[in-house]
């Protein structure tokens, strides 16, 4: 797979996290996870809407919710429609490909545990007119996905050197923010700063709940690997999109992200081949025509 931001839900802002014990996955998150699992690495393909509806029904998403989600995603530039006779097919746009590739980086390569932090921080400061509520909300949403926490109201911080040029440029805010890369002075209590800027308890509880739920086998149906893998990846991305990947040396002992990641990757491996085979049998596809 692969998927992001808010990027999994981009350009929409991230919704409030549900109780970690009862994750409610949004149809758009599931649709993007579906395309990340079964389309992204297959080249320029479109999938018949009926195939998408059938697969999402396996995780409890109704037909009308899928159809309205597909329409909204087309309107937001995430999907392309392509008619073949009386059937409607959907394919990825370049924007959606970027979103999914970014998510893939977060899921499969960066991982949930940051053990290679070099001691640097990225600081982003901004000050907007009071009337700019939408711009403020959009920027904060994108910063949250990129691992930033609020040091102060208009000063956000993230571990490492984070390239935010694309974020602020896309939002049209490049001339309204200031970005610095720096190291904390020796008298700064980095652990305290982290606890004040990020809600570590919430992040940890989501990892622990994920690991408990999937280790216990809840929702893991070997008879339906395509549904299992779809929900697995969508749930995992929902967690890591709210995890700033803070340096592990400044996190509490026994940080639960490591065990949760091992559980995720184990089940992902176990379902990869069977889910792929099932997708090839179930999905009706056609080549994506040039725009």
């Amino acid at each position: 797979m692969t998927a992001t931001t808010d990027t999994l839900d981009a350009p929409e802002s991230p919704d409030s996290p549900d109780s970690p014990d009862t994750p409610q996955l949004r149809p758009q998150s599931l649709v993007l996870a579906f395309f990340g699992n079964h389309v992204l690495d297959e080249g320029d393909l479109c999938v018949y809407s009926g195939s998408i509806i059938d697969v999402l029904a396996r995780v409890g998403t109704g037909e009308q919710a899928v159809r309205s989600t597909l329409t909204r995603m087309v309107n937001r530039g995430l999907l392309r429609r392509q008619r073949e006779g009386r059937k409607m097919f959907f394919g990825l746009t370049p924007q959606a490909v970027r979103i999914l590739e970014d998510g893939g980086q977060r899921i499969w390569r960066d991982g949930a545990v940051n053990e290679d932090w070099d001691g640097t921080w990225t600081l982003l400061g901004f000050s907007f007119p009071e009337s700019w509520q939408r711009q403020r909300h959009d920027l904060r949403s994108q910063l949250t996905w990129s691992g930033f926490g609020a040091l102060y109201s208009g000063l956000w911080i993230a571990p490492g050197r984070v390239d935010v040029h694309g974020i602020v440029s896309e939002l049209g805010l490049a001339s309204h923010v200031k970005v610095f890369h720096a190291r904390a002075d020796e008298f700064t209590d980095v652990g305290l700063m982290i606890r004040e800027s990020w809600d570590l308890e919430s992040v940890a509880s989501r990892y622990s709940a994920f690991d408990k739920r999937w280790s216990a086998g809840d929702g893991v149906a070997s008879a339906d690997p395509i549904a299992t893998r779809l929900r697995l990846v969508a749930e995992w991305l929902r967690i890591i999109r709210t995890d700033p990947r803070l340096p592990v040396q400044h996190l509490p002992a026994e940080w639960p992200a490591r065990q949760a990641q091992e559980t995720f990757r184990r089940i992902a491996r176990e379902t990869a081949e069977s889910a792929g085979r099932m997708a090839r049998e179930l999905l009706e596809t056609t080549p994506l025509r040039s725009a």
Side-chain angles (χ1 to χ4, degrees), residues 213-224 228 232 266-267 270-271:
R213 185 168 58 252
W214 286 92
S215 294
D218 293 352
V220 181
S222 58
D224 195 351
T228 298
L232 174 78
R266 174 179 57 81
I267 299 174
E270 292 172 354
T271 57

Side-chain angles (χ1 to χ4, degrees), residues 201-255:
E201 184 175 345
S202 293
V203 176
S205 68
R206 286 192 284 276
Y207 278 123
S208 296
F210 176 93
D211 184 52
K212 179 180 178 181
R213 185 168 58 252
W214 286 92
S215 294
D218 293 352
V220 181
S222 58
D224 195 351
I226 195 170
T228 298
R229 188 175 176 85
L230 177 60
R231 175 165 283 280
L232 174 78
V233 173
E235 284 189 24
W236 182 248
L237 187 59
R238 183 176 179 83
I239 295 172
I240 65 169
R241 68 192 284 236
T242 60
D243 180 0
R245 291 190 80 246
L246 295 161
V248 70
Q249 62 264 44
H250 292 293
L251 293 175
E254 304 300 322
W255 183 243

Side-chain angles (χ1 to χ4, degrees), residues 4-289:
T4 126
T5 126
D6 215 36
T7 337
L8 182 62
D9 285 326
E12 194 173 4
S13 61
D15 44 348
S16 299
D18 299 308
S19 164
D21 297 315
T22 57
Q24 298 297 313
L25 298 171
R26 299 168 66 191
Q28 180 170 298
S29 298
L30 290 165
V31 170
L32 273 174
F34 166 85
F35 275 91
N37 274 325
H38 304 297
V39 178
L40 182 66
D41 295 332
E42 299 300 321
D44 293 332
L45 286 182
C46 288
V47 183
Y48 172 45
S49 61
S51 296
I52 302 171
I53 290 168
D54 289 347
V55 171
L56 265 68
R58 294 167 179 263
V59 293
T61 305
E63 177 178 347
Q64 187 53 48
V66 176
R67 290 192 184 278
S68 60
T69 298
L70 292 173
T71 298
R72 286 197 303 271
M73 293 174 71
V74 169
N75 293 337
R76 292 172 57 198
L78 294 172
L79 294 177
R80 283 181 50 192
R81 283 193 186 98
Q82 182 170 302
R83 182 175 292 280
E84 300 288 342
R86 300 183 64 179
K87 293 183 175 180
M88 189 65 71
F89 290 71
F90 292 84
L92 294 169
T93 64
Q95 179 186 359
V97 169
R98 289 194 298 272
I99 286 171
L100 292 173
E101 289 178 344
D102 180 59
Q105 178 71 32
R106 291 283 295 271
I107 290 174
W108 304 112
R109 292 178 287 281
D110 291 344
V113 182
N114 186 353
E115 297 180 292
D116 54 3
W117 181 57
D118 64 0
T120 62
W121 296 91
T122 298
L123 289 88
L124 183 146
F126 64 90
S127 179
F128 299 155
E130 188 63 31
S131 60
W132 283 25
Q133 294 183 10
R134 180 184 60 80
Q135 291 90 334
R136 186 177 293 107
H137 172 78
D138 289 348
L139 178 60
R140 287 172 173 170
S141 297
Q142 294 291 344
L143 291 176
T144 298
W145 167 255
S146 298
F148 283 81
L151 190 59
Y152 300 106
S153 177
L155 181 61
W156 286 56
I157 188 169
R161 296 182 65 89
V162 182
D163 182 1
V164 296
H165 177 73
I167 293 174
V168 297
S169 296
E170 184 174 336
L171 295 175
L173 300 174
S175 62
H176 299 276
V177 303
K178 303 292 186 292
V179 181
F180 303 89
H181 300 288
R183 292 178 176 269
D185 193 88
E186 60 183 14
F187 71 81
T188 298
D189 187 333
V190 173
L192 176 61
M193 181 187 72
I194 285 175
R195 294 192 297 274
E196 291 176 342
S197 301
W198 286 275
D199 186 354
L200 296 185
E201 184 175 345
S202 293
V203 176
S205 68
R206 286 192 284 276
Y207 278 123
S208 296
F210 176 93
D211 184 52
K212 179 180 178 181
R213 185 168 58 252
W214 286 92
S215 294
D218 293 352
V220 181
S222 58
D224 195 351
I226 195 170
T228 298
R229 188 175 176 85
L230 177 60
R231 175 165 283 280
L232 174 78
V233 173
E235 284 189 24
W236 182 248
L237 187 59
R238 183 176 179 83
I239 295 172
I240 65 169
R241 68 192 284 236
T242 60
D243 180 0
R245 291 190 80 246
L246 295 161
V248 70
Q249 62 264 44
H250 292 293
L251 293 175
E254 304 300 322
W255 183 243
R258 190 185 306 279
Q259 180 58 46
Q261 179 170 270
E262 291 177 1
T263 297
F264 164 76
R265 290 184 171 175
R266 174 179 57 81
I267 299 174
R269 287 193 303 271
E270 292 172 354
T271 57
E273 183 177 349
S274 53
R277 182 170 59 250
M278 199 171 185
R280 289 189 293 273
E281 295 171 353
L282 293 176
L283 303 184
E284 183 177 348
T285 63
T286 190
L288 180 65
R289 294 192 294 267

